[in-house]
Amino acid sequence: MAYSYRIDLELGVVQAELIGVLDDEAFIALFTEVLHHPDYRVGMKSLLDFRRVTQFDLTGQGIRTLAGMVVSRLNSHAVPWQTALVAPQDVAYGLSRMYQILREGSMSQVEVFREFSEAWRWLGLPEDEIPA
């Protein structure tokens, strides 16, 4: 699986795009890389885009591990943050909802969307900055 991400300091958002086959190892690697990036700031908004994933090999255990890792790392800062998941495929939507449920009770708001533009707007990002 491939992924790319961009940390936009001006907008205060991390945009990540997942591509190809998505498995536990790659999903956790993406989050680990972002959370340790020197430009990452606790409280930044996050947008994860699953539109280009062709196969989902994520497991429930992988999603639980990731949710626990993110919550323990970020909740210690007591700063609220928002995460939008763009999941147009049914399997992506279901897995994203599982992640959302596992994050309940944390300092974060997690929402799942089928459309990229809806996720962008929910994060409160400028309409004229929506990527093509």
Side-chain angles (χ1 to χ4, degrees):
M1 189 217 60
Y3 60 80
S4 65
Y5 68 91
R6 182 173 79 101
I7 298 175
D8 187 321
L9 295 173
E10 185 177 319
L11 292 177
V13 66
V14 177
Q15 288 178 254
E17 181 180 35
L18 301 128
I19 304 160
V21 177
L22 178 59
D23 61 17
D24 294 342
E25 185 178 331
F27 201 41
I28 291 168
L30 166 64
F31 275 83
T32 301
E33 191 173 321
V34 168
L35 292 174
H36 291 94
H37 192 283
D39 289 340
Y40 179 77
R41 304 290 179 264
V42 173
M44 288 184 115
K45 299 171 183 184
S46 300
L47 193 152
L48 275 70
D49 185 354
F50 294 95
R51 292 178 296 173
R52 294 184 52 198
V53 174
T54 57
Q55 182 177 327
F56 292 87
D57 289 344
L58 283 174
T59 65
Q61 182 57 48
I63 293 172
R64 283 188 292 279
T65 298
L66 177 66
M69 178 184 84
V70 171
V71 167
S72 68
R73 169 135 164 97
L74 299 180
N75 272 7
S76 63
H77 295 280
V79 175
W81 76 98
Q82 292 176 287
T83 300
L85 307 170
V86 180
Q89 311 94 326
D90 289 343
V91 68
Y93 195 88
L95 292 167
S96 295
R97 285 282 296 127
M98 179 181 177
Y99 181 75
Q100 179 184 32
I101 290 166
L102 290 167
R103 296 273 302 270
E104 287 178 358
S106 70
M107 295 288 296
S108 67
Q109 281 185 288
V110 177
E111 291 294 332
V112 183
F113 301 90
R114 298 254 186 203
E115 298 291 329
F116 187 91
S117 59
E118 291 175 26
W120 188 266
R121 281 191 285 278
W122 177 78
L123 288 170
L125 300 170
E127 297 250 354
D128 61 336
E129 301 260 350
I130 295 176

